[in-house]
Amino acid sequence: MTSPLPVRTERDSLGEVSVAADALYGAQTQRAIDNFRLSGEPMPRRLITALLLVKAAAARANQQCNSMEPALTEAIEQSCEQLLAEDGEKAGFMTHFPIDVFQTGSGTSSHMNANEVVATLAARRLGKPVSANDDVNRAQSSNDAIPSAIHIAAALALMHELLPALDRLHAVLRERAPGLREHVKTGRTHLMDAMPVRLDQVLGGWASQIEADIARLREQLPALLRLAQGGTAVGTGVNAPPEFAALFCAALNARTGLAFEPAPDFFAAMGAQDTAASLSGQLKTCAVSLMKIANDLRWMNSGPLAGLGEIELPALQPGSSIMPGKVNPVIPEAVAMIAAQVIGNDTTVTIAAQSGNFELNTMLPVIARNLLESIVLLANGSRALADKAIAGFRVNDARMHESLARNPVLVTALNPIVGYAKAAEIAKTAYREGRPILDVADELTDLGRERLAELLDSARLTHGGL
């Protein structure tokens, strides 16, 4: 039998609680650990770091409001900085923040977890007790801190992770496209043969999708930068000095380099999560774009013999445990799954965001979890798609030329000259007999082979003019 782990006794307003002797957190965190054994998934790391930024900025603002002595401010700020440094360096960082995502809807459990951890470290620095509620949480409430942390975490992840990743994908598409101008392939509508397109036009279309996604996501930033901090319990700002919100944002901006500002209406910022819902919707749209690109790549890569076989994606790993030599489009498949997850996350955020009952939304933890997961997944997926699929695929010109030569839809170019009915006869005959469209048109019209070759030139047809 193993010996029980050493514990210490902590107290909160409900009484005594046994806490692991070496834990930085206290009684309220332990109660949440015991109460919420639901998913085994802790709150997002990025949300925790945002909460630590809130604690440090709040301490600085409190000092500037003359409501906190400099030594305590410094102890809280340094404790937050220590934890933020550990976030980037030590795998054990999240052991201090173990509470399940599925917890109290306001996120109070995780908020008090942060307060308790910071209070423990600050007390060690000062050599005297520091209160998680009265000191670290001064002029704050879970009800404004958690909505603020969601905005802070999302804004930082958007600026430093997703937008750079989408910029990378967009750049790879734009860089690759000009070199593919001479490669003409069969276009497809309804998955059926259509008029020809150039590969640079295909990549240009994808690039425009990503460019639009970047623009839509950037439009979300001004709303994300407006914070609920200062509204405290219900939006009235009770227990916070009037100047606290502005000073808080100034301290936060000095640390992050962004331009956070107090929300124009704390009641809306705390009672609703419309900004989160809006951002999630744009993340879903971005996921739809990535899924379209991933699926196009999969179709174009299909084969190599029985599919389209127009391109060959980089061979990254064996594709089958039983079929030797098989190679699968693993990156587009992974990105398609990412897109599916983000679309599902948006549904959850939508349902959660409408749970703003009177002065507080009560599904904040799951909003934070899904919103941040979507941002991170899309960022990672965009980089993988750019660097491991699009940058390195090889074009199979011979396969594309073979398909183009037999494509009866090329006869569309003859419509203005021979009419739709005659063009349809030529197309059906070519398809039925498996013959090149040029040969059949030469037999069924008097245009002459040279003129027909000019009219049916696939590269010319990609420029739009017939």
Side-chain angles (χ1 to χ4, degrees):
M1 295 182 63
T2 59
S3 301
L5 295 175
V7 298
R8 70 181 193 272
T9 300
E10 294 280 345
R11 293 188 61 86
D12 63 9
S13 59
L14 294 182
E16 294 185 348
V17 182
S18 293
V19 179
D22 59 350
L24 296 181
Y25 51 76
Q28 293 198 50
T29 300
Q30 187 61 53
R31 291 190 192 279
I33 293 170
D34 296 339
N35 289 332
F36 305 118
R37 300 182 186 273
L38 300 175
S39 72
E41 180 181 353
M43 286 287 278
R45 193 181 191 100
R46 289 163 183 81
L47 194 280
I48 299 300
T49 59
L51 269 176
L52 295 173
L53 291 172
V54 167
K55 297 295 117 182
R60 176 57 52 186
N62 277 316
Q63 182 184 331
Q64 291 172 335
C65 292
N66 297 316
S67 59
M68 182 174 286
E69 58 275 20
L72 178 56
T73 296
E74 185 176 346
I76 292 172
E77 286 182 323
Q78 288 180 353
S79 298
C80 292
E81 289 298 333
Q82 175 187 331
L83 290 163
L84 290 167
E86 286 183 8
D87 177 32
E89 297 175 2
K90 296 184 180 179
F93 169 78
M94 286 301 291
T95 61
H96 306 311
F97 306 99
I99 299 174
D100 204 281
V101 165
F102 299 96
Q103 55 171 281
T104 175
S106 61
T108 298
S109 296
S110 284
H111 183 221
M112 281 308 303
N113 180 191
N115 285 333
E116 289 178 342
V117 170
V118 172
T120 298
L121 293 176
R124 291 177 182 175
R125 280 184 160 79
L126 282 177
K128 63 179 182 179
V130 173
S131 169
N133 290 91
D134 297 331
D135 298 324
V136 181
N137 194 53
R138 189 172 301 179
Q140 304 152 70
S141 165
S142 300
N143 301 350
D144 61 355
I146 296 295
S148 295
I150 291 173
H151 277 219
I152 294 164
L156 291 171
L158 197 61
M159 288 294 293
H160 298 310
E161 296 181 63
L162 180 52
L163 288 173
L166 289 172
D167 285 338
R168 169 65 181 163
L169 175 56
H170 180 260
V172 169
L173 287 166
R174 289 299 187 200
E175 289 165 7
R176 188 86 204 268
L180 300 174
R181 183 177 177 82
E182 302 305 316
H183 300 285
V184 182
K185 66 185 288 291
T186 300
R188 293 178 180 84
T189 58
H190 302 269
L191 293 181
M192 305 299 285
D193 297 344
M195 293 298 286
V197 296
R198 301 192 311 270
L199 271 183
D200 69 305
Q201 293 171 326
V202 174
L203 267 69
W206 297 344
S208 292
Q209 282 187 275
I210 300 304
E211 189 174 338
D213 287 323
I214 292 169
R216 283 188 290 262
L217 288 167
R218 286 193 178 279
E219 288 172 358
Q220 300 296 308
L221 280 169
L224 274 180
L225 295 175
R226 299 179 191 123
L227 302 182
Q229 203 69 48
T232 65
V234 293
T236 59
V238 62
N239 292 349
E243 66 274 27
F244 176 85
L247 292 170
F248 170 88
C249 288
L252 183 63
N253 294 341
R255 178 64 169 73
T256 64
L258 298 184
F260 293 104
E261 61 182 359
D265 189 310
F266 290 142
F267 294 99
M270 293 165 58
Q273 282 293 305
D274 296 348
T275 297
S278 179
L279 173 59
S280 181
Q282 297 305 337
L283 294 171
K284 177 185 71 175
T285 303
C286 184
V288 168
S289 299
L290 293 186
M291 184 173 277
K292 186 265 193 290
I293 295 168
N295 284 336
D296 283 356
L297 287 167
R298 292 169 65 212
W299 276 106
M300 291 162 64
N301 180 76
S302 62
L305 300 179
L308 299 182
E310 295 172 341
I311 65 170
E312 182 181 329
L313 290 167
L316 300 178
Q317 63 187 60
S320 173
S321 63
I322 190 172
M323 293 175 279
K326 193 171 188 291
V327 178
N328 297 329
V330 292
I331 295 299
E333 287 176 350
V335 170
M337 287 189 284
I338 282 173
Q341 182 65 55
V342 171
I343 291 167
N345 284 352
D346 176 63
T347 300
T348 298
V349 171
T350 301
I351 294 169
Q354 60 82 43
S355 296
N357 303 310
F358 300 110
E359 279 66 59
L360 183 67
N361 181 286
T362 51
M363 288 197 183
L364 295 175
V366 80
I367 289 175
R369 179 239 180 265
N370 284 25
L371 202 61
L372 294 171
E373 180 183 72
S374 291
I375 293 172
V376 173
L377 284 175
L378 289 173
N380 293 339
S382 296
R383 290 192 188 93
L385 201 61
D387 298 333
K388 296 185 178 182
I390 293 167
F393 72 74
R394 185 183 67 83
V395 179
N396 187 348
D397 253 332
R399 187 63 172 268
M400 292 196 297
H401 287 158
E402 178 187 352
S403 298
L404 278 170
R406 297 165 60 88
N407 182 4
V409 180
L410 290 177
V411 80
T412 303
L414 303 182
N415 282 359
I417 301 171
V418 302
Y420 185 91
K422 174 59 74 172
E425 179 188 354
I426 295 168
K428 290 177 181 179
T429 302
Y431 180 73
R432 183 176 62 250
E433 297 179 2
R435 297 168 60 200
I437 197 76
L438 178 60
D439 293 346
V440 176
D442 192 26
E443 292 178 1
L444 298 181
T445 73
D446 58 2
L447 292 173
R449 194 172 186 85
E450 185 176 344
R451 174 65 173 146
L452 284 168
E454 179 185 353
L455 290 169
L456 296 172
D457 179 67
S458 57
R460 186 186 72 85
L461 294 175
T462 65
H463 293 283
L466 300 182

PDB file of all heavy atoms in Angstrom, residues 226-256:
ATOM      1  N   ARG A 226     -12.551  45.616 -26.719  1.00  0.00           N
ATOM      2  CA  ARG A 226     -13.393  46.287 -25.719  1.00  0.00           C
ATOM      3  C   ARG A 226     -13.686  45.313 -24.590  1.00  0.00           C
ATOM      4  O   ARG A 226     -14.256  44.253 -24.806  1.00  0.00           O
ATOM      5  CB  ARG A 226     -14.689  46.783 -26.363  1.00  0.00           C
ATOM      6  CG  ARG A 226     -14.454  47.787 -27.480  1.00  0.00           C
ATOM      7  CD  ARG A 226     -15.754  48.252 -28.115  1.00  0.00           C
ATOM      8  NE  ARG A 226     -15.478  48.995 -29.335  1.00  0.00           N
ATOM      9  CZ  ARG A 226     -15.967  48.686 -30.535  1.00  0.00           C
ATOM     10  NH1 ARG A 226     -16.783  47.659 -30.658  1.00  0.00           N
ATOM     11  NH2 ARG A 226     -15.659  49.409 -31.594  1.00  0.00           N
ATOM     12  N   LEU A 227     -13.302  45.684 -23.382  1.00  0.00           N
ATOM     13  CA  LEU A 227     -13.330  44.761 -22.251  1.00  0.00           C
ATOM     14  C   LEU A 227     -14.406  45.095 -21.223  1.00  0.00           C
ATOM     15  O   LEU A 227     -14.705  46.272 -20.975  1.00  0.00           O
ATOM     16  CB  LEU A 227     -11.965  44.748 -21.558  1.00  0.00           C
ATOM     17  CG  LEU A 227     -10.763  44.374 -22.434  1.00  0.00           C
ATOM     18  CD1 LEU A 227      -9.500  44.362 -21.591  1.00  0.00           C
ATOM     19  CD2 LEU A 227     -10.974  43.042 -23.138  1.00  0.00           C
ATOM     20  N   ALA A 228     -14.900  44.041 -20.597  1.00  0.00           N
ATOM     21  CA  ALA A 228     -15.902  44.194 -19.535  1.00  0.00           C
ATOM     22  C   ALA A 228     -15.284  44.616 -18.213  1.00  0.00           C
ATOM     23  O   ALA A 228     -16.017  44.989 -17.284  1.00  0.00           O
ATOM     24  CB  ALA A 228     -16.644  42.874 -19.348  1.00  0.00           C
ATOM     25  N   GLN A 229     -13.951  44.567 -18.101  1.00  0.00           N
ATOM     26  CA  GLN A 229     -13.307  44.832 -16.817  1.00  0.00           C
ATOM     27  C   GLN A 229     -13.658  46.215 -16.293  1.00  0.00           C
ATOM     28  O   GLN A 229     -13.496  47.213 -16.994  1.00  0.00           O
ATOM     29  CB  GLN A 229     -11.792  44.718 -16.947  1.00  0.00           C
ATOM     30  CG  GLN A 229     -11.083  44.420 -15.633  1.00  0.00           C
ATOM     31  CD  GLN A 229     -11.391  43.005 -15.141  1.00  0.00           C
ATOM     32  OE1 GLN A 229     -11.303  42.054 -15.903  1.00  0.00           O
ATOM     33  NE2 GLN A 229     -11.772  42.885 -13.878  1.00  0.00           N
ATOM     34  N   GLY A 230     -14.129  46.265 -15.061  1.00  0.00           N
ATOM     35  CA  GLY A 230     -14.609  47.503 -14.458  1.00  0.00           C
ATOM     36  C   GLY A 230     -16.088  47.442 -14.156  1.00  0.00           C
ATOM     37  O   GLY A 230     -16.607  48.233 -13.368  1.00  0.00           O
ATOM     38  N   GLY A 231     -16.786  46.467 -14.775  1.00  0.00           N
ATOM     39  CA  GLY A 231     -18.215  46.301 -14.502  1.00  0.00           C
ATOM     40  C   GLY A 231     -18.478  45.584 -13.199  1.00  0.00           C
ATOM     41  O   GLY A 231     -19.571  45.654 -12.647  1.00  0.00           O
ATOM     42  N   THR A 232     -17.484  44.870 -12.682  1.00  0.00           N
ATOM     43  CA  THR A 232     -17.521  44.063 -11.452  1.00  0.00           C
ATOM     44  C   THR A 232     -18.725  43.120 -11.418  1.00  0.00           C
ATOM     45  O   THR A 232     -18.875  42.311 -12.329  1.00  0.00           O
ATOM     46  CB  THR A 232     -17.407  44.924 -10.176  1.00  0.00           C
ATOM     47  OG1 THR A 232     -18.525  45.773 -10.039  1.00  0.00           O
ATOM     48  CG2 THR A 232     -16.116  45.733 -10.202  1.00  0.00           C
ATOM     49  N   ALA A 233     -19.599  43.217 -10.437  1.00  0.00           N
ATOM     50  CA  ALA A 233     -20.579  42.156 -10.197  1.00  0.00           C
ATOM     51  C   ALA A 233     -21.688  42.084 -11.244  1.00  0.00           C
ATOM     52  O   ALA A 233     -21.999  41.005 -11.766  1.00  0.00           O
ATOM     53  CB  ALA A 233     -21.199  42.320  -8.817  1.00  0.00           C
ATOM     54  N   VAL A 234     -22.310  43.208 -11.556  1.00  0.00           N
ATOM     55  CA  VAL A 234     -23.472  43.184 -12.454  1.00  0.00           C
ATOM     56  C   VAL A 234     -23.402  44.229 -13.559  1.00  0.00           C
ATOM     57  O   VAL A 234     -24.363  44.403 -14.303  1.00  0.00           O
ATOM     58  CB  VAL A 234     -24.792  43.368 -11.666  1.00  0.00           C
ATOM     59  CG1 VAL A 234     -25.065  42.170 -10.774  1.00  0.00           C
ATOM     60  CG2 VAL A 234     -24.768  44.662 -10.857  1.00  0.00           C
ATOM     61  N   GLY A 235     -22.280  44.948 -13.650  1.00  0.00           N
ATOM     62  CA  GLY A 235     -22.152  45.982 -14.665  1.00  0.00           C
ATOM     63  C   GLY A 235     -22.157  47.395 -14.120  1.00  0.00           C
ATOM     64  O   GLY A 235     -21.873  48.350 -14.844  1.00  0.00           O
ATOM     65  N   THR A 236     -22.451  47.546 -12.840  1.00  0.00           N
ATOM     66  CA  THR A 236     -22.518  48.884 -12.242  1.00  0.00           C
ATOM     67  C   THR A 236     -21.157  49.382 -11.771  1.00  0.00           C
ATOM     68  O   THR A 236     -21.008  50.568 -11.448  1.00  0.00           O
ATOM     69  CB  THR A 236     -23.466  48.877 -11.033  1.00  0.00           C
ATOM     70  OG1 THR A 236     -22.983  47.934 -10.065  1.00  0.00           O
ATOM     71  CG2 THR A 236     -24.885  48.498 -11.453  1.00  0.00           C
ATOM     72  N   GLY A 237     -20.170  48.480 -11.684  1.00  0.00           N
ATOM     73  CA  GLY A 237     -18.846  48.873 -11.231  1.00  0.00           C
ATOM     74  C   GLY A 237     -18.713  48.987  -9.734  1.00  0.00           C
ATOM     75  O   GLY A 237     -17.784  49.642  -9.245  1.00  0.00           O
ATOM     76  N   VAL A 238     -19.588  48.335  -8.995  1.00  0.00           N
ATOM     77  CA  VAL A 238     -19.539  48.404  -7.540  1.00  0.00           C
ATOM     78  C   VAL A 238     -18.174  47.913  -7.045  1.00  0.00           C
ATOM     79  O   VAL A 238     -17.622  46.940  -7.542  1.00  0.00           O
ATOM     80  CB  VAL A 238     -20.685  47.568  -6.917  1.00  0.00           C
ATOM     81  CG1 VAL A 238     -20.564  46.097  -7.266  1.00  0.00           C
ATOM     82  CG2 VAL A 238     -20.753  47.775  -5.412  1.00  0.00           C
ATOM     83  N   ASN A 239     -17.604  48.625  -6.070  1.00  0.00           N
ATOM     84  CA  ASN A 239     -16.311  48.323  -5.437  1.00  0.00           C
ATOM     85  C   ASN A 239     -15.098  48.620  -6.312  1.00  0.00           C
ATOM     86  O   ASN A 239     -13.971  48.305  -5.920  1.00  0.00           O
ATOM     87  CB  ASN A 239     -16.230  46.858  -4.962  1.00  0.00           C
ATOM     88  CG  ASN A 239     -17.169  46.573  -3.798  1.00  0.00           C
ATOM     89  OD1 ASN A 239     -17.737  47.486  -3.208  1.00  0.00           O
ATOM     90  ND2 ASN A 239     -17.346  45.303  -3.482  1.00  0.00           N
ATOM     91  N   ALA A 240     -15.311  49.197  -7.474  1.00  0.00           N
ATOM     92  CA  ALA A 240     -14.175  49.588  -8.320  1.00  0.00           C
ATOM     93  C   ALA A 240     -14.156  51.107  -8.446  1.00  0.00           C
ATOM     94  O   ALA A 240     -15.189  51.728  -8.694  1.00  0.00           O
ATOM     95  CB  ALA A 240     -14.294  48.962  -9.704  1.00  0.00           C
ATOM     96  N   PRO A 241     -12.991  51.754  -8.278  1.00  0.00           N
ATOM     97  CA  PRO A 241     -12.913  53.203  -8.460  1.00  0.00           C
ATOM     98  C   PRO A 241     -13.324  53.587  -9.878  1.00  0.00           C
ATOM     99  O   PRO A 241     -13.150  52.808 -10.828  1.00  0.00           O
ATOM    100  CB  PRO A 241     -11.433  53.512  -8.219  1.00  0.00           C
ATOM    101  CG  PRO A 241     -10.924  52.352  -7.421  1.00  0.00           C
ATOM    102  CD  PRO A 241     -11.701  51.170  -7.879  1.00  0.00           C
ATOM    103  N   PRO A 242     -13.867  54.777 -10.081  1.00  0.00           N
ATOM    104  CA  PRO A 242     -14.345  55.193 -11.412  1.00  0.00           C
ATOM    105  C   PRO A 242     -13.279  55.118 -12.491  1.00  0.00           C
ATOM    106  O   PRO A 242     -13.571  54.818 -13.646  1.00  0.00           O
ATOM    107  CB  PRO A 242     -14.809  56.633 -11.180  1.00  0.00           C
ATOM    108  CG  PRO A 242     -15.101  56.722  -9.717  1.00  0.00           C
ATOM    109  CD  PRO A 242     -14.136  55.798  -9.051  1.00  0.00           C
ATOM    110  N   GLU A 243     -12.047  55.400 -12.131  1.00  0.00           N
ATOM    111  CA  GLU A 243     -10.971  55.430 -13.126  1.00  0.00           C
ATOM    112  C   GLU A 243     -10.323  54.054 -13.334  1.00  0.00           C
ATOM    113  O   GLU A 243      -9.400  53.899 -14.153  1.00  0.00           O
ATOM    114  CB  GLU A 243      -9.903  56.447 -12.723  1.00  0.00           C
ATOM    115  CG  GLU A 243      -9.131  56.127 -11.452  1.00  0.00           C
ATOM    116  CD  GLU A 243      -9.818  56.625 -10.181  1.00  0.00           C
ATOM    117  OE1 GLU A 243     -11.066  56.755 -10.179  1.00  0.00           O
ATOM    118  OE2 GLU A 243      -9.102  56.878  -9.194  1.00  0.00           O
ATOM    119  N   PHE A 244     -10.787  53.031 -12.603  1.00  0.00           N
ATOM    120  CA  PHE A 244     -10.130  51.727 -12.624  1.00  0.00           C
ATOM    121  C   PHE A 244     -10.092  51.123 -14.024  1.00  0.00           C
ATOM    122  O   PHE A 244      -9.046  50.633 -14.474  1.00  0.00           O
ATOM    123  CB  PHE A 244     -10.843  50.761 -11.661  1.00  0.00           C
ATOM    124  CG  PHE A 244     -10.291  49.368 -11.677  1.00  0.00           C
ATOM    125  CD1 PHE A 244      -9.196  49.024 -10.909  1.00  0.00           C
ATOM    126  CD2 PHE A 244     -10.869  48.384 -12.479  1.00  0.00           C
ATOM    127  CE1 PHE A 244      -8.669  47.740 -10.935  1.00  0.00           C
ATOM    128  CE2 PHE A 244     -10.349  47.099 -12.511  1.00  0.00           C
ATOM    129  CZ  PHE A 244      -9.254  46.770 -11.735  1.00  0.00           C
ATOM    130  N   ALA A 245     -11.206  51.130 -14.734  1.00  0.00           N
ATOM    131  CA  ALA A 245     -11.283  50.446 -16.030  1.00  0.00           C
ATOM    132  C   ALA A 245     -10.276  51.005 -17.022  1.00  0.00           C
ATOM    133  O   ALA A 245      -9.573  50.244 -17.717  1.00  0.00           O
ATOM    134  CB  ALA A 245     -12.699  50.544 -16.591  1.00  0.00           C
ATOM    135  N   ALA A 246     -10.171  52.315 -17.090  1.00  0.00           N
ATOM    136  CA  ALA A 246      -9.239  52.929 -18.036  1.00  0.00           C
ATOM    137  C   ALA A 246      -7.799  52.651 -17.647  1.00  0.00           C
ATOM    138  O   ALA A 246      -6.951  52.361 -18.504  1.00  0.00           O
ATOM    139  CB  ALA A 246      -9.492  54.436 -18.104  1.00  0.00           C
ATOM    140  N   LEU A 247      -7.492  52.727 -16.348  1.00  0.00           N
ATOM    141  CA  LEU A 247      -6.138  52.440 -15.901  1.00  0.00           C
ATOM    142  C   LEU A 247      -5.780  50.975 -16.107  1.00  0.00           C
ATOM    143  O   LEU A 247      -4.635  50.641 -16.445  1.00  0.00           O
ATOM    144  CB  LEU A 247      -5.996  52.821 -14.423  1.00  0.00           C
ATOM    145  CG  LEU A 247      -6.059  54.319 -14.119  1.00  0.00           C
ATOM    146  CD1 LEU A 247      -6.144  54.567 -12.616  1.00  0.00           C
ATOM    147  CD2 LEU A 247      -4.854  55.032 -14.717  1.00  0.00           C
ATOM    148  N   PHE A 248      -6.751  50.095 -15.904  1.00  0.00           N
ATOM    149  CA  PHE A 248      -6.547  48.671 -16.150  1.00  0.00           C
ATOM    150  C   PHE A 248      -6.141  48.431 -17.605  1.00  0.00           C
ATOM    151  O   PHE A 248      -5.164  47.731 -17.892  1.00  0.00           O
ATOM    152  CB  PHE A 248      -7.824  47.891 -15.824  1.00  0.00           C
ATOM    153  CG  PHE A 248      -7.806  46.456 -16.252  1.00  0.00           C
ATOM    154  CD1 PHE A 248      -7.308  45.469 -15.423  1.00  0.00           C
ATOM    155  CD2 PHE A 248      -8.271  46.088 -17.511  1.00  0.00           C
ATOM    156  CE1 PHE A 248      -7.274  44.136 -15.833  1.00  0.00           C
ATOM    157  CE2 PHE A 248      -8.248  44.764 -17.928  1.00  0.00           C
ATOM    158  CZ  PHE A 248      -7.744  43.781 -17.083  1.00  0.00           C
ATOM    159  N   CYS A 249      -6.882  49.017 -18.534  1.00  0.00           N
ATOM    160  CA  CYS A 249      -6.588  48.824 -19.962  1.00  0.00           C
ATOM    161  C   CYS A 249      -5.220  49.398 -20.319  1.00  0.00           C
ATOM    162  O   CYS A 249      -4.479  48.806 -21.119  1.00  0.00           O
ATOM    163  CB  CYS A 249      -7.682  49.448 -20.819  1.00  0.00           C
ATOM    164  SG  CYS A 249      -9.237  48.514 -20.779  1.00  0.00           S
ATOM    165  N   ALA A 250      -4.869  50.515 -19.729  1.00  0.00           N
ATOM    166  CA  ALA A 250      -3.556  51.108 -20.006  1.00  0.00           C
ATOM    167  C   ALA A 250      -2.438  50.179 -19.546  1.00  0.00           C
ATOM    168  O   ALA A 250      -1.437  49.984 -20.253  1.00  0.00           O
ATOM    169  CB  ALA A 250      -3.440  52.461 -19.317  1.00  0.00           C
ATOM    170  N   ALA A 251      -2.600  49.580 -18.358  1.00  0.00           N
ATOM    171  CA  ALA A 251      -1.590  48.644 -17.856  1.00  0.00           C
ATOM    172  C   ALA A 251      -1.522  47.397 -18.725  1.00  0.00           C
ATOM    173  O   ALA A 251      -0.436  46.876 -19.022  1.00  0.00           O
ATOM    174  CB  ALA A 251      -1.915  48.267 -16.407  1.00  0.00           C
ATOM    175  N   LEU A 252      -2.683  46.917 -19.158  1.00  0.00           N
ATOM    176  CA  LEU A 252      -2.729  45.734 -20.019  1.00  0.00           C
ATOM    177  C   LEU A 252      -2.080  46.016 -21.378  1.00  0.00           C
ATOM    178  O   LEU A 252      -1.341  45.182 -21.922  1.00  0.00           O
ATOM    179  CB  LEU A 252      -4.179  45.296 -20.202  1.00  0.00           C
ATOM    180  CG  LEU A 252      -4.432  44.033 -21.015  1.00  0.00           C
ATOM    181  CD1 LEU A 252      -3.807  42.809 -20.340  1.00  0.00           C
ATOM    182  CD2 LEU A 252      -5.936  43.821 -21.197  1.00  0.00           C
ATOM    183  N   ASN A 253      -2.335  47.181 -21.910  1.00  0.00           N
ATOM    184  CA  ASN A 253      -1.766  47.542 -23.209  1.00  0.00           C
ATOM    185  C   ASN A 253      -0.245  47.643 -23.151  1.00  0.00           C
ATOM    186  O   ASN A 253       0.454  47.280 -24.105  1.00  0.00           O
ATOM    187  CB  ASN A 253      -2.367  48.861 -23.698  1.00  0.00           C
ATOM    188  CG  ASN A 253      -3.850  48.729 -23.999  1.00  0.00           C
ATOM    189  OD1 ASN A 253      -4.356  47.627 -24.191  1.00  0.00           O
ATOM    190  ND2 ASN A 253      -4.549  49.851 -24.036  1.00  0.00           N
ATOM    191  N   ALA A 254       0.258  48.137 -22.032  1.00  0.00           N
ATOM    192  CA  ALA A 254       1.711  48.240 -21.870  1.00  0.00           C
ATOM    193  C   ALA A 254       2.349  46.856 -21.885  1.00  0.00           C
ATOM    194  O   ALA A 254       3.477  46.684 -22.354  1.00  0.00           O
ATOM    195  CB  ALA A 254       2.045  48.958 -20.570  1.00  0.00           C
ATOM    196  N   ARG A 255       1.617  45.853 -21.413  1.00  0.00           N
ATOM    197  CA  ARG A 255       2.144  44.476 -21.360  1.00  0.00           C
ATOM    198  C   ARG A 255       1.972  43.741 -22.689  1.00  0.00           C
ATOM    199  O   ARG A 255       2.823  42.960 -23.083  1.00  0.00           O
ATOM    200  CB  ARG A 255       1.426  43.705 -20.239  1.00  0.00           C
ATOM    201  CG  ARG A 255       1.837  42.238 -20.101  1.00  0.00           C
ATOM    202  CD  ARG A 255       3.290  42.108 -19.706  1.00  0.00           C
ATOM    203  NE  ARG A 255       3.660  40.762 -19.316  1.00  0.00           N
ATOM    204  CZ  ARG A 255       3.813  39.722 -20.146  1.00  0.00           C
ATOM    205  NH1 ARG A 255       3.599  39.879 -21.436  1.00  0.00           N
ATOM    206  NH2 ARG A 255       4.176  38.542 -19.679  1.00  0.00           N
ATOM    207  N   THR A 256       0.867  43.991 -23.394  1.00  0.00           N
ATOM    208  CA  THR A 256       0.544  43.202 -24.588  1.00  0.00           C
ATOM    209  C   THR A 256       0.864  43.899 -25.900  1.00  0.00           C
ATOM    210  O   THR A 256       0.985  43.248 -26.936  1.00  0.00           O
ATOM    211  CB  THR A 256      -0.953  42.840 -24.606  1.00  0.00           C
ATOM    212  OG1 THR A 256      -1.735  44.044 -24.704  1.00  0.00           O
ATOM    213  CG2 THR A 256      -1.340  42.068 -23.346  1.00  0.00           C
TER     214      THR A 256
END
